[in-house]
PDB file of all heavy atoms in Angstrom:
ATOM      1  N   ASP C   1     -11.017 -19.862  -4.678  1.00 89.00           N
ATOM      2  CA  ASP C   1     -10.892 -18.469  -5.085  1.00 89.00           C
ATOM      3  C   ASP C   1     -11.616 -17.545  -4.115  1.00 89.00           C
ATOM      4  O   ASP C   1     -11.132 -16.447  -3.811  1.00 89.00           O
ATOM      5  CB  ASP C   1     -11.446 -18.281  -6.498  1.00 89.00           C
ATOM      6  CG  ASP C   1     -11.241 -16.869  -7.011  1.00 89.00           C
ATOM      7  OD1 ASP C   1     -10.084 -16.417  -7.078  1.00 89.00           O
ATOM      8  OD2 ASP C   1     -12.242 -16.196  -7.331  1.00 89.00           O
ATOM      9  N   ALA C   2     -12.771 -17.993  -3.611  1.00 92.00           N
ATOM     10  CA  ALA C   2     -13.509 -17.168  -2.650  1.00 92.00           C
ATOM     11  C   ALA C   2     -12.731 -17.024  -1.349  1.00 92.00           C
ATOM     12  O   ALA C   2     -12.698 -15.947  -0.732  1.00 92.00           O
ATOM     13  CB  ALA C   2     -14.884 -17.775  -2.382  1.00 92.00           C
ATOM     14  N   VAL C   3     -12.070 -18.101  -0.918  1.00 93.00           N
ATOM     15  CA  VAL C   3     -11.262 -18.060   0.305  1.00 93.00           C
ATOM     16  C   VAL C   3     -10.077 -17.119   0.112  1.00 93.00           C
ATOM     17  O   VAL C   3      -9.764 -16.310   0.992  1.00 93.00           O
ATOM     18  CB  VAL C   3     -10.787 -19.480   0.685  1.00 93.00           C
ATOM     19  CG1 VAL C   3      -9.853 -19.437   1.891  1.00 93.00           C
ATOM     20  CG2 VAL C   3     -11.992 -20.378   0.982  1.00 93.00           C
ATOM     21  N   LEU C   4      -9.425 -17.199  -1.029  1.00 90.00           N
ATOM     22  CA  LEU C   4      -8.275 -16.326  -1.302  1.00 90.00           C
ATOM     23  C   LEU C   4      -8.699 -14.861  -1.340  1.00 90.00           C
ATOM     24  O   LEU C   4      -7.970 -13.981  -0.862  1.00 90.00           O
ATOM     25  CB  LEU C   4      -7.617 -16.723  -2.617  1.00 90.00           C
ATOM     26  CG  LEU C   4      -6.908 -18.085  -2.633  1.00 90.00           C
ATOM     27  CD1 LEU C   4      -6.423 -18.417  -4.036  1.00 90.00           C
ATOM     28  CD2 LEU C   4      -5.741 -18.116  -1.660  1.00 90.00           C
ATOM     29  N   LYS C   5      -9.879 -14.593  -1.888  1.00 89.00           N
ATOM     30  CA  LYS C   5     -10.361 -13.208  -1.934  1.00 89.00           C
ATOM     31  C   LYS C   5     -10.575 -12.666  -0.528  1.00 89.00           C
ATOM     32  O   LYS C   5     -10.236 -11.526  -0.231  1.00 89.00           O
ATOM     33  CB  LYS C   5     -11.656 -13.124  -2.743  1.00 89.00           C
ATOM     34  CG  LYS C   5     -11.447 -13.216  -4.245  1.00 89.00           C
ATOM     35  CD  LYS C   5     -12.753 -13.063  -5.004  1.00 89.00           C
ATOM     36  CE  LYS C   5     -12.513 -13.100  -6.511  1.00 89.00           C
ATOM     37  NZ  LYS C   5     -13.777 -12.950  -7.271  1.00 89.00           N
ATOM     38  N   GLN C   6     -11.139 -13.482   0.354  1.00 91.00           N
ATOM     39  CA  GLN C   6     -11.379 -13.022   1.720  1.00 91.00           C
ATOM     40  C   GLN C   6     -10.081 -12.903   2.515  1.00 91.00           C
ATOM     41  O   GLN C   6     -10.002 -12.135   3.474  1.00 91.00           O
ATOM     42  CB  GLN C   6     -12.349 -13.972   2.438  1.00 91.00           C
ATOM     43  CG  GLN C   6     -13.749 -13.968   1.863  1.00 91.00           C
ATOM     44  CD  GLN C   6     -14.377 -12.587   1.858  1.00 91.00           C
ATOM     45  OE1 GLN C   6     -14.202 -11.791   2.782  1.00 91.00           O
ATOM     46  NE2 GLN C   6     -15.106 -12.270   0.790  1.00 91.00           N
ATOM     47  N   TRP C   7      -9.075 -13.671   2.110  1.00 91.00           N
ATOM     48  CA  TRP C   7      -7.781 -13.640   2.807  1.00 91.00           C
ATOM     49  C   TRP C   7      -6.926 -12.461   2.343  1.00 91.00           C
ATOM     50  O   TRP C   7      -5.990 -12.061   3.027  1.00 91.00           O
ATOM     51  CB  TRP C   7      -7.034 -14.949   2.551  1.00 91.00           C
ATOM     52  CG  TRP C   7      -5.848 -15.165   3.432  1.00 91.00           C
ATOM     53  CD1 TRP C   7      -4.575 -14.691   3.247  1.00 91.00           C
ATOM     54  CD2 TRP C   7      -5.807 -15.894   4.658  1.00 91.00           C
ATOM     55  NE1 TRP C   7      -3.753 -15.100   4.257  1.00 91.00           N
ATOM     56  CE2 TRP C   7      -4.488 -15.844   5.152  1.00 91.00           C
ATOM     57  CE3 TRP C   7      -6.762 -16.615   5.383  1.00 91.00           C
ATOM     58  CZ2 TRP C   7      -4.089 -16.463   6.329  1.00 91.00           C
ATOM     59  CZ3 TRP C   7      -6.380 -17.240   6.555  1.00 91.00           C
ATOM     60  CH2 TRP C   7      -5.064 -17.160   7.027  1.00 91.00           C
ATOM     61  N   ALA C   8      -7.218 -11.910   1.182  1.00 85.00           N
ATOM     62  CA  ALA C   8      -6.368 -10.885   0.576  1.00 85.00           C
ATOM     63  C   ALA C   8      -6.063  -9.773   1.562  1.00 85.00           C
ATOM     64  O   ALA C   8      -6.957  -9.230   2.211  1.00 85.00           O
ATOM     65  CB  ALA C   8      -7.040 -10.319  -0.664  1.00 85.00           C
ATOM     66  N   GLY C   9      -4.786  -9.437   1.689  1.00 84.00           N
ATOM     67  CA  GLY C   9      -4.332  -8.403   2.608  1.00 84.00           C
ATOM     68  C   GLY C   9      -3.779  -8.948   3.909  1.00 84.00           C
ATOM     69  O   GLY C   9      -3.094  -8.234   4.644  1.00 84.00           O
ATOM     70  N   LEU C  10      -4.062 -10.218   4.213  1.00 84.00           N
ATOM     71  CA  LEU C  10      -3.601 -10.799   5.472  1.00 84.00           C
ATOM     72  C   LEU C  10      -2.173 -11.338   5.361  1.00 84.00           C
ATOM     73  O   LEU C  10      -1.501 -11.540   6.369  1.00 84.00           O
ATOM     74  CB  LEU C  10      -4.560 -11.904   5.916  1.00 84.00           C
ATOM     75  CG  LEU C  10      -4.525 -12.359   7.375  1.00 84.00           C
ATOM     76  CD1 LEU C  10      -4.663 -11.179   8.324  1.00 84.00           C
ATOM     77  CD2 LEU C  10      -5.639 -13.373   7.642  1.00 84.00           C
ATOM     78  N   GLY C  11      -1.717 -11.583   4.124  1.00 81.00           N
ATOM     79  CA  GLY C  11      -0.333 -11.991   3.918  1.00 81.00           C
ATOM     80  C   GLY C  11      -0.084 -13.478   4.112  1.00 81.00           C
ATOM     81  O   GLY C  11      -0.956 -14.215   4.568  1.00 81.00           O
ATOM     82  N   TYR C  12       1.120 -13.906   3.732  1.00 79.00           N
ATOM     83  CA  TYR C  12       1.536 -15.313   3.857  1.00 79.00           C
ATOM     84  C   TYR C  12       0.439 -16.226   3.279  1.00 79.00           C
ATOM     85  O   TYR C  12      -0.191 -17.009   3.982  1.00 79.00           O
ATOM     86  CB  TYR C  12       1.841 -15.660   5.321  1.00 79.00           C
ATOM     87  CG  TYR C  12       2.967 -14.849   5.900  1.00 79.00           C
ATOM     88  CD1 TYR C  12       2.708 -13.652   6.564  1.00 79.00           C
ATOM     89  CD2 TYR C  12       4.294 -15.239   5.748  1.00 79.00           C
ATOM     90  CE1 TYR C  12       3.745 -12.871   7.067  1.00 79.00           C
ATOM     91  CE2 TYR C  12       5.338 -14.473   6.259  1.00 79.00           C
ATOM     92  CZ  TYR C  12       5.054 -13.290   6.918  1.00 79.00           C
ATOM     93  OH  TYR C  12       6.074 -12.526   7.411  1.00 79.00           O
ATOM     94  N   TYR C  13       0.254 -16.111   1.973  1.00 82.00           N
ATOM     95  CA  TYR C  13      -0.940 -16.664   1.332  1.00 82.00           C
ATOM     96  C   TYR C  13      -0.975 -18.183   1.267  1.00 82.00           C
ATOM     97  O   TYR C  13      -2.023 -18.769   1.035  1.00 82.00           O
ATOM     98  CB  TYR C  13      -1.107 -16.036  -0.057  1.00 82.00           C
ATOM     99  CG  TYR C  13      -1.398 -14.559   0.067  1.00 82.00           C
ATOM    100  CD1 TYR C  13      -0.373 -13.615  -0.015  1.00 82.00           C
ATOM    101  CD2 TYR C  13      -2.679 -14.115   0.338  1.00 82.00           C
ATOM    102  CE1 TYR C  13      -0.627 -12.266   0.151  1.00 82.00           C
ATOM    103  CE2 TYR C  13      -2.947 -12.767   0.498  1.00 82.00           C
ATOM    104  CZ  TYR C  13      -1.922 -11.850   0.402  1.00 82.00           C
ATOM    105  OH  TYR C  13      -2.184 -10.512   0.585  1.00 82.00           O
ATOM    106  N   ALA C  14       0.157 -18.832   1.494  1.00 86.00           N
ATOM    107  CA  ALA C  14       0.130 -20.297   1.582  1.00 86.00           C
ATOM    108  C   ALA C  14      -0.772 -20.734   2.724  1.00 86.00           C
ATOM    109  O   ALA C  14      -1.356 -21.824   2.685  1.00 86.00           O
ATOM    110  CB  ALA C  14       1.544 -20.839   1.775  1.00 86.00           C
ATOM    111  N   ARG C  15      -0.910 -19.890   3.749  1.00 89.00           N
ATOM    112  CA  ARG C  15      -1.795 -20.218   4.864  1.00 89.00           C
ATOM    113  C   ARG C  15      -3.233 -20.396   4.380  1.00 89.00           C
ATOM    114  O   ARG C  15      -3.953 -21.284   4.851  1.00 89.00           O
ATOM    115  CB  ARG C  15      -1.746 -19.122   5.937  1.00 89.00           C
ATOM    116  CG  ARG C  15      -0.425 -19.006   6.662  1.00 89.00           C
ATOM    117  CD  ARG C  15      -0.493 -17.937   7.741  1.00 89.00           C
ATOM    118  NE  ARG C  15      -0.731 -16.611   7.200  1.00 89.00           N
ATOM    119  CZ  ARG C  15      -1.054 -15.550   7.918  1.00 89.00           C
ATOM    120  NH1 ARG C  15      -1.202 -15.659   9.227  1.00 89.00           N
ATOM    121  NH2 ARG C  15      -1.235 -14.369   7.358  1.00 89.00           N
ATOM    122  N   ALA C  16      -3.673 -19.537   3.467  1.00 89.00           N
ATOM    123  CA  ALA C  16      -5.050 -19.620   2.973  1.00 89.00           C
ATOM    124  C   ALA C  16      -5.259 -20.899   2.172  1.00 89.00           C
ATOM    125  O   ALA C  16      -6.302 -21.563   2.295  1.00 89.00           O
ATOM    126  CB  ALA C  16      -5.374 -18.399   2.123  1.00 89.00           C
ATOM    127  N   ARG C  17      -4.288 -21.266   1.348  1.00 91.00           N
ATOM    128  CA  ARG C  17      -4.422 -22.500   0.569  1.00 91.00           C
ATOM    129  C   ARG C  17      -4.408 -23.719   1.491  1.00 91.00           C
ATOM    130  O   ARG C  17      -5.201 -24.653   1.310  1.00 91.00           O
ATOM    131  CB  ARG C  17      -3.298 -22.580  -0.466  1.00 91.00           C
ATOM    132  CG  ARG C  17      -3.349 -21.443  -1.485  1.00 91.00           C
ATOM    133  CD  ARG C  17      -2.363 -21.656  -2.625  1.00 91.00           C
ATOM    134  NE  ARG C  17      -0.975 -21.606  -2.190  1.00 91.00           N
ATOM    135  CZ  ARG C  17      -0.268 -20.502  -2.073  1.00 91.00           C
ATOM    136  NH1 ARG C  17      -0.811 -19.327  -2.329  1.00 91.00           N
ATOM    137  NH2 ARG C  17       1.002 -20.531  -1.690  1.00 91.00           N
ATOM    138  N   ASN C  18      -3.524 -23.707   2.489  1.00 93.00           N
ATOM    139  CA  ASN C  18      -3.497 -24.814   3.449  1.00 93.00           C
ATOM    140  C   ASN C  18      -4.760 -24.852   4.301  1.00 93.00           C
ATOM    141  O   ASN C  18      -5.237 -25.927   4.672  1.00 93.00           O
ATOM    142  CB  ASN C  18      -2.271 -24.685   4.356  1.00 93.00           C
ATOM    143  CG  ASN C  18      -0.984 -25.057   3.650  1.00 93.00           C
ATOM    144  OD1 ASN C  18      -0.984 -25.856   2.713  1.00 93.00           O
ATOM    145  ND2 ASN C  18       0.115 -24.488   4.085  1.00 93.00           N
ATOM    146  N   LEU C  19      -5.302 -23.677   4.611  1.00 95.00           N
ATOM    147  CA  LEU C  19      -6.543 -23.604   5.385  1.00 95.00           C
ATOM    148  C   LEU C  19      -7.661 -24.340   4.661  1.00 95.00           C
ATOM    149  O   LEU C  19      -8.385 -25.153   5.249  1.00 95.00           O
ATOM    150  CB  LEU C  19      -6.920 -22.128   5.574  1.00 95.00           C
ATOM    151  CG  LEU C  19      -8.004 -21.808   6.591  1.00 95.00           C
ATOM    152  CD1 LEU C  19      -7.414 -21.758   7.992  1.00 95.00           C
ATOM    153  CD2 LEU C  19      -8.646 -20.458   6.268  1.00 95.00           C
ATOM    154  N   HIS C  20      -7.792 -24.064   3.377  1.00 95.00           N
ATOM    155  CA  HIS C  20      -8.845 -24.696   2.581  1.00 95.00           C
ATOM    156  C   HIS C  20      -8.614 -26.199   2.477  1.00 95.00           C
ATOM    157  O   HIS C  20      -9.548 -27.006   2.637  1.00 95.00           O
ATOM    158  CB  HIS C  20      -8.869 -24.056   1.195  1.00 95.00           C
ATOM    159  CG  HIS C  20     -10.068 -24.407   0.378  1.00 95.00           C
ATOM    160  ND1 HIS C  20      -9.989 -25.211  -0.734  1.00 95.00           N
ATOM    161  CD2 HIS C  20     -11.378 -24.088   0.529  1.00 95.00           C
ATOM    162  CE1 HIS C  20     -11.194 -25.351  -1.260  1.00 95.00           C
ATOM    163  NE2 HIS C  20     -12.051 -24.681  -0.514  1.00 95.00           N
ATOM    164  N   ALA C  21      -7.359 -26.593   2.220  1.00 95.00           N
ATOM    165  CA  ALA C  21      -7.041 -28.022   2.123  1.00 95.00           C
ATOM    166  C   ALA C  21      -7.291 -28.731   3.448  1.00 95.00           C
ATOM    167  O   ALA C  21      -7.777 -29.870   3.481  1.00 95.00           O
ATOM    168  CB  ALA C  21      -5.590 -28.200   1.683  1.00 95.00           C
ATOM    169  N   CYS C  22      -6.964 -28.077   4.556  1.00 96.00           N
ATOM    170  CA  CYS C  22      -7.175 -28.676   5.876  1.00 96.00           C
ATOM    171  C   CYS C  22      -8.659 -28.868   6.144  1.00 96.00           C
ATOM    172  O   CYS C  22      -9.080 -29.919   6.659  1.00 96.00           O
ATOM    173  CB  CYS C  22      -6.539 -27.797   6.947  1.00 96.00           C
ATOM    174  SG  CYS C  22      -6.654 -28.480   8.608  1.00 96.00           S
ATOM    175  N   ALA C  23      -9.468 -27.873   5.824  1.00 97.00           N
ATOM    176  CA  ALA C  23     -10.919 -27.998   6.024  1.00 97.00           C
ATOM    177  C   ALA C  23     -11.465 -29.183   5.241  1.00 97.00           C
ATOM    178  O   ALA C  23     -12.290 -29.965   5.757  1.00 97.00           O
ATOM    179  CB  ALA C  23     -11.611 -26.708   5.606  1.00 97.00           C
ATOM    180  N   GLN C  24     -11.009 -29.343   4.010  1.00 97.00           N
ATOM    181  CA  GLN C  24     -11.482 -30.474   3.200  1.00 97.00           C
ATOM    182  C   GLN C  24     -11.031 -31.804   3.801  1.00 97.00           C
ATOM    183  O   GLN C  24     -11.789 -32.781   3.808  1.00 97.00           O
ATOM    184  CB  GLN C  24     -10.982 -30.318   1.767  1.00 97.00           C
ATOM    185  CG  GLN C  24     -11.624 -29.136   1.046  1.00 97.00           C
ATOM    186  CD  GLN C  24     -11.125 -28.972  -0.379  1.00 97.00           C
ATOM    187  OE1 GLN C  24      -9.972 -29.260  -0.697  1.00 97.00           O
ATOM    188  NE2 GLN C  24     -11.996 -28.500  -1.267  1.00 97.00           N
ATOM    189  N   ALA C  25      -9.812 -31.841   4.347  1.00 97.00           N
ATOM    190  CA  ALA C  25      -9.318 -33.073   4.969  1.00 97.00           C
ATOM    191  C   ALA C  25     -10.116 -33.421   6.219  1.00 97.00           C
ATOM    192  O   ALA C  25     -10.392 -34.601   6.487  1.00 97.00           O
ATOM    193  CB  ALA C  25      -7.837 -32.924   5.308  1.00 97.00           C
TER     194      ALA C  25
END
């Protein structure tokens, strides 16, 4: 949720979810 809040306004929000998943991987 914190990552999505910081991403808000940048668009193409699947990128933010994948970003977080990639970092965890």
Side-chain angles (χ1 to χ4, degrees):
D1 184 58
V3 175
L4 292 174
K5 284 183 178 180
Q6 294 303 322
W7 193 276
L10 198 53
Y12 298 92
Y13 294 95
R15 293 182 297 168
R17 297 189 294 274
N18 286 332
L19 193 82
H20 192 250
C22 183
Q24 292 180 327

